Amino acid sequence: KRPPNNNHTITQSTTMRILFSSLLIASLTRAARAASVSLDEYRDHYDPAPAAAVEFEDATGVGGGSGEEERNLSGSKGDKGGKGGKAHKASKHVGLEDGFVDLSEDFERDETALAQPLIGRLPVRDNSFLRAALVLENGKIVGKYVRADVNVDDPRAVHSTTKGLISLAIGKLIAEGDLRLDMPLGDIFSDEHWIGDNTDFRKRVTIRELLTMTSGLRGDLSTPPGDSLPEALYSPIVHEDSAKKEYSYLMDNNILSYVIYAITCSKDLWHCKRPIQYFAGSILPSLGVTGIGSCPAGSWNVAHENWSDYGNTDACSDGEFAWFTNEEGFEGATSGMTMTVNVMAKLGQLYLQGGKSAPGPGGEQVVPESWIDQTWTPHVKPPTIVGDNAGGFFWYQLDKDTWFSYGLGGQIIAVNRRLNRVVAMQSDLVGEEEPSQPSIAVIRDIMELTFQLSPYSFDN
C-alpha cells in the first residue's frame, strides 16, 4: 500500500490541467450566491418534481413535503450553518433530539441488546454474502455482525452508496449560497469544456435532475464516467426519449465531482476543493472521522477492471475513509468511496439527526435539516433499480419510515426515523452477481426486530 497522505495533494501537472476553475464560474451571478436559501428555493418552479412528489403520496403514504413554512437552509437568524443550528424535527415520532448522540465520539454499546447475536435473529436463509452489519438504535449499537474472515476495521468500497453521500456536499454548497438546485450545467461550466453533439441539451441539465436521475442522460458499465471535465460532460448518452425527463439510471459519471470543485473555486482559487478535500474539511471532522486515506490517480479505473475483486482498496493508503479517483485525480461522483462499516453508520446517524453532529447547542448543523427532508422526499419512481421504490436525491424509500442508500452488491445505509434506527451493511460481490434483493431483504428483517424496550418499535 502507498504511505498515508492526508493532505490529498495532486501533482503539479494535474493542478495545471484543472486550473480551468477560475473560468468555470464566470457566469455565476451574485444572486445565485445569496447568503441564505429558503426551502422553496430548493424547488425549481418550472420543474415538475413537486407535482411528482404529490403523485407518489397515494402510493407510498408519504407526501411530497412536510407542508411547513419556508425554513432558512443556513440555520436560524444569525447562524451561519455551524454550531447552534436548529434541532432536528424530521422524525415525527420522537421528541426533539431524542436518541441524538455526539458523532465525534465512539458509539456506546447496548450490551443487553448485543447479548443476542444479530445473525441468529435473522430468518434462516443464505446470508453468506453478508460481510458486516452494524445496527444503531437511539444512537447506540444494538446489533453487530462480522463474518469470521472479515476485519471490520478494513474499509470497503461502497459503490453507488457514494451517490447518496455526495449529495451531502451538494446540499451544503446550496446552503452556503454558492449553488442552486435549478442551476443548469451551462451556467457552471464555460463553453470550452463542452464537446461533441447535443451540447445545448446537456447544458440545460440541472443539479436537481442529476440528483433525481431525471436529466435524460443515461449510462451503464460501458459508459465511461469521464477522466476529465469534457469527457464527463460528454460521455452520458442522450437517448431519443431523453427529452421526456423520465427516470434514467446514470450508473457512473463524474459531473458532480467537477461541480463541487468549480463551486468551491467560485470564491477564489485558494478555496478550490476536490470532493474528498471538501468532505475531509467540512463534513467528516464533525463525525470524528479523521483517518483519511489517499488513492492514486486512476485508481477508480483499476478498481473497475477486476470484477472478482471489485471493492478491494489495496491501491489506497490506510484510512477509515478514502475515495477512488479518475486519471485526472478527481474522485468518482457516483461510485468510488471506500469506508468502514462504522463510518457508514456515522453517516447514517447524521441523516437521522437531521444533519446535526450532536445534541444541544454544541452540535454543529453539518448540513441543513431541510436538505435531509428534501433528500427523503419522493421525487421519482425508479422502475427496477432496487425494487419498486420511490427515489429521492440518490436515496430510495423502502417503506413510509425507511430510506436507504444502495451500493452495488448490497452496500447499504438504511435509516428508519420511526424506530430511530440506522443499519449499515457491507456485502460481497462475487463475479458479476448482484445480490440486491437478498441484501434488501436483510434490511427489512433487521427493521422488524425489536432491540430496545422503546415506544418506537413496530410491536407498538
Side-chain angles (χ1 to χ4, degrees), residues 24-60:
L24 297 182
I25 40 72
S27 58
L28 294 176
T29 64
R30 290 288 179 183
R33 299 198 297 265
S36 63
V37 187
S38 70
L39 175 62
D40 195 53
E41 286 176 299
Y42 270 129
R43 299 193 175 102
D44 179 349
H45 295 290
Y46 51 82
D47 187 291
V54 173
E55 178 183 344
F56 290 125
E57 183 169 7
D58 293 337
T60 65

Coordinates of all heavy atoms in Angstrom, one line a residue, residues 24-60:
L24 N -14.6 28.5 -14.9 CA -15.8 27.8 -14.9 C -17.0 28.5 -14.4 O -18.2 28.3 -14.8 CB -15.7 26.5 -14.0 CG -14.6 25.5 -14.5 CD1 -14.6 24.3 -13.5 CD2 -14.9 25.0 -15.9
I25 N -16.8 29.4 -13.4 CA -17.9 30.0 -12.7 C -18.1 31.5 -13.2 O -18.7 32.3 -12.5 CB -17.7 29.9 -11.2 CG1 -16.3 30.2 -10.8 CG2 -18.1 28.6 -10.7 CD1 -15.8 31.6 -10.9
A26 N -17.6 31.8 -14.3 CA -17.7 33.2 -14.8 C -19.2 33.7 -14.9 O -19.5 34.9 -14.7 CB -17.0 33.4 -16.1
S27 N -20.1 32.8 -15.2 CA -21.5 33.1 -15.4 C -22.3 33.0 -14.1 O -23.5 33.3 -14.2 CB -22.1 32.2 -16.5 OG -22.0 30.9 -16.1
L28 N -21.7 32.6 -13.0 CA -22.5 32.6 -11.8 C -22.7 34.0 -11.3 O -21.7 34.8 -11.1 CB -21.7 31.8 -10.7 CG -21.5 30.3 -11.0 CD1 -20.7 29.7 -9.9 CD2 -22.9 29.6 -11.0
T29 N -23.9 34.4 -11.0 CA -24.2 35.7 -10.5 C -24.2 35.8 -9.0 O -24.2 34.8 -8.3 CB -25.6 36.1 -11.0 OG1 -26.6 35.3 -10.4 CG2 -25.8 36.0 -12.5
R30 N -24.1 37.0 -8.5 CA -24.1 37.2 -7.1 C -25.5 36.7 -6.5 O -25.5 36.2 -5.4 CB -24.0 38.7 -6.8 CG -22.6 39.2 -7.0 CD -21.6 38.7 -6.0 NE -20.2 39.2 -6.3 CZ -19.2 38.8 -5.5 NH1 -19.4 37.9 -4.6 NH2 -18.0 39.2 -5.8
A31 N -26.5 36.9 -7.3 CA -27.8 36.4 -6.8 C -27.8 34.9 -6.5 O -28.5 34.4 -5.6 CB -28.9 36.8 -7.8
A32 N -27.1 34.2 -7.4 CA -27.0 32.7 -7.2 C -26.2 32.3 -6.0 O -26.2 31.2 -5.6 CB -26.5 32.1 -8.5
R33 N -25.4 33.3 -5.4 CA -24.6 33.0 -4.3 C -25.1 33.8 -3.1 O -24.4 34.4 -2.3 CB -23.2 33.4 -4.6 CG -22.6 32.6 -5.7 CD -21.1 32.6 -5.6 NE -20.5 33.9 -5.8 CZ -20.1 34.4 -7.0 NH1 -20.2 33.7 -8.0 NH2 -19.6 35.6 -7.0
A34 N -26.5 33.9 -2.9 CA -27.1 34.6 -1.8 C -26.7 33.9 -0.5 O -26.4 32.8 -0.5 CB -28.6 34.6 -1.9
A35 N -26.7 34.7 0.6 CA -26.3 34.2 1.8 C -27.2 33.1 2.4 O -26.7 32.2 3.1 CB -26.1 35.3 2.9
S36 N -28.4 33.1 2.1 CA -29.4 32.1 2.6 C -30.3 31.7 1.5 O -30.6 32.5 0.6 CB -30.1 32.6 3.8 OG -30.9 33.7 3.4
V37 N -30.8 30.5 1.6 CA -31.7 29.9 0.6 C -32.9 29.3 1.3 O -32.7 28.6 2.2 CB -31.0 28.9 -0.3 CG1 -31.9 28.4 -1.4 CG2 -29.7 29.4 -0.8
S38 N -34.1 29.6 0.9 CA -35.3 29.0 1.5 C -35.6 27.6 1.0 O -35.1 27.2 -0.1 CB -36.5 29.9 1.3 OG -36.9 29.8 0.0
L39 N -36.4 26.9 1.8 CA -36.7 25.5 1.3 C -37.4 25.6 0.0 O -37.2 24.7 -0.9 CB -37.7 24.9 2.4 CG -38.2 23.5 2.0 CD1 -37.1 22.5 1.8 CD2 -39.2 23.0 3.1
D40 N -38.3 26.6 -0.2 CA -39.0 26.7 -1.5 C -38.0 26.9 -2.7 O -38.3 26.4 -3.8 CB -40.0 27.8 -1.5 CG -41.0 27.7 -2.6 OD1 -41.6 26.6 -2.7 OD2 -41.2 28.7 -3.3
E41 N -36.9 27.5 -2.4 CA -35.9 27.8 -3.4 C -35.2 26.5 -3.8 O -34.4 26.4 -4.8 CB -34.9 28.8 -3.0 CG -35.5 30.2 -3.0 CD -34.5 31.3 -2.5 OE1 -34.1 31.2 -1.3 OE2 -34.2 32.2 -3.3
Y42 N -35.3 25.4 -3.0 CA -34.8 24.1 -3.5 C -35.6 23.6 -4.6 O -35.1 22.8 -5.4 CB -34.9 23.1 -2.3 CG -33.7 23.0 -1.4 CD1 -33.9 23.1 -0.1 CD2 -32.5 22.8 -2.0 CE1 -32.8 23.0 0.8 CE2 -31.4 22.7 -1.1 CZ -31.5 22.8 0.2 OH -30.5 22.7 1.1
R43 N -36.8 24.1 -4.8 CA -37.7 23.6 -5.8 C -37.6 24.5 -7.1 O -37.8 25.7 -7.0 CB -39.1 23.5 -5.3 CG -39.3 22.6 -4.1 CD -40.8 22.3 -3.9 NE -40.9 21.3 -2.8 CZ -41.2 21.6 -1.6 NH1 -41.5 22.8 -1.2 NH2 -41.4 20.6 -0.7
D44 N -37.4 23.9 -8.2 CA -37.4 24.6 -9.4 C -38.9 24.9 -9.8 O -39.6 23.9 -10.0 CB -36.7 23.8 -10.5 CG -36.6 24.4 -11.8 OD1 -37.3 25.4 -12.0 OD2 -35.9 23.9 -12.7
H45 N -39.3 26.1 -9.9 CA -40.7 26.5 -10.1 C -41.2 26.0 -11.5 O -42.5 26.0 -11.6 CB -40.9 28.0 -9.9 CG -40.6 28.4 -8.5 ND1 -41.4 28.1 -7.4 CD2 -39.6 29.1 -8.0 CE1 -40.9 28.6 -6.3 NE2 -39.8 29.2 -6.6
Y46 N -40.4 25.7 -12.4 CA -40.9 25.2 -13.7 C -40.5 23.7 -13.8 O -40.7 23.1 -14.9 CB -40.3 26.0 -14.9 CG -38.8 26.1 -14.9 CD1 -38.0 25.1 -15.3 CD2 -38.2 27.3 -14.4 CE1 -36.6 25.2 -15.3 CE2 -36.8 27.4 -14.4 CZ -36.0 26.4 -14.8 OH -34.7 26.6 -14.8
D47 N -40.1 23.1 -12.7 CA -39.7 21.7 -12.7 C -40.9 20.9 -12.2 O -41.5 21.3 -11.2 CB -38.5 21.5 -11.8 CG -38.0 20.0 -11.9 OD1 -38.7 19.1 -11.4 OD2 -36.9 19.8 -12.5
P48 N -41.3 19.7 -12.7 CA -42.4 19.0 -12.3 C -42.2 18.2 -11.0 O -43.1 17.5 -10.6 CB -42.7 18.1 -13.4 CG -41.4 17.8 -14.0 CD -40.6 19.1 -13.9
A49 N -41.1 18.3 -10.4 CA -40.8 17.5 -9.2 C -41.8 17.6 -8.1 O -42.2 16.6 -7.5 CB -39.4 17.8 -8.7
P50 N -42.2 18.8 -7.7 CA -43.2 18.9 -6.6 C -44.5 18.1 -6.9 O -45.0 17.4 -6.1 CB -43.4 20.4 -6.4 CG -42.1 21.0 -6.9 CD -41.7 20.1 -8.0
A51 N -44.9 18.3 -8.2 CA -46.2 17.6 -8.6 C -45.9 16.1 -8.5 O -46.8 15.3 -8.1 CB -46.6 18.0 -10.0
A52 N -44.7 15.7 -9.0 CA -44.4 14.2 -9.0 C -44.4 13.7 -7.6 O -44.9 12.6 -7.3 CB -43.1 14.0 -9.7
A53 N -43.9 14.5 -6.7 CA -43.9 14.1 -5.3 C -45.3 13.8 -4.7 O -45.6 12.9 -4.0 CB -43.1 15.1 -4.4
V54 N -46.2 14.8 -5.1 CA -47.6 14.6 -4.6 C -48.2 13.4 -5.3 O -49.0 12.7 -4.6 CB -48.4 15.9 -5.0 CG1 -49.9 15.7 -4.7 CG2 -47.9 17.1 -4.3
E55 N -47.8 13.1 -6.5 CA -48.4 11.9 -7.2 C -48.0 10.6 -6.4 O -48.8 9.7 -6.4 CB -47.8 11.8 -8.6 CG -48.2 10.6 -9.4 CD -47.5 10.5 -10.7 OE1 -47.0 11.6 -11.1 OE2 -47.6 9.5 -11.3
F56 N -46.9 10.6 -5.7 CA -46.5 9.4 -5.0 C -47.1 9.3 -3.7 O -47.0 8.3 -3.0 CB -44.9 9.4 -4.8 CG -44.2 9.2 -6.1 CD1 -43.2 10.0 -6.6 CD2 -44.5 8.1 -6.9 CE1 -42.6 9.8 -7.8 CE2 -43.9 7.8 -8.1 CZ -42.9 8.7 -8.6
E57 N -47.8 10.3 -3.2 CA -48.4 10.3 -1.9 C -49.4 9.1 -1.7 O -49.4 8.4 -0.7 CB -49.1 11.6 -1.6 CG -49.7 11.7 -0.2 CD -50.2 13.1 0.1 OE1 -50.2 13.9 -0.8 OE2 -50.5 13.3 1.3
D58 N -50.2 8.9 -2.7 CA -51.1 7.8 -2.7 C -50.5 6.4 -2.6 O -50.9 5.5 -2.0 CB -52.1 7.8 -3.8 CG -53.0 9.0 -3.8 OD1 -53.2 9.6 -2.7 OD2 -53.5 9.5 -4.8
A59 N -49.3 6.3 -3.4 CA -48.7 5.0 -3.5 C -47.8 4.7 -2.3 O -47.7 3.5 -1.9 CB -47.8 5.0 -4.8
T60 N -47.2 5.7 -1.6 CA -46.3 5.4 -0.6 C -46.8 5.8 0.8 O -46.2 5.4 1.8 CB -45.0 6.2 -0.8 OG1 -45.3 7.6 -0.8 CG2 -44.4 5.9 -2.2

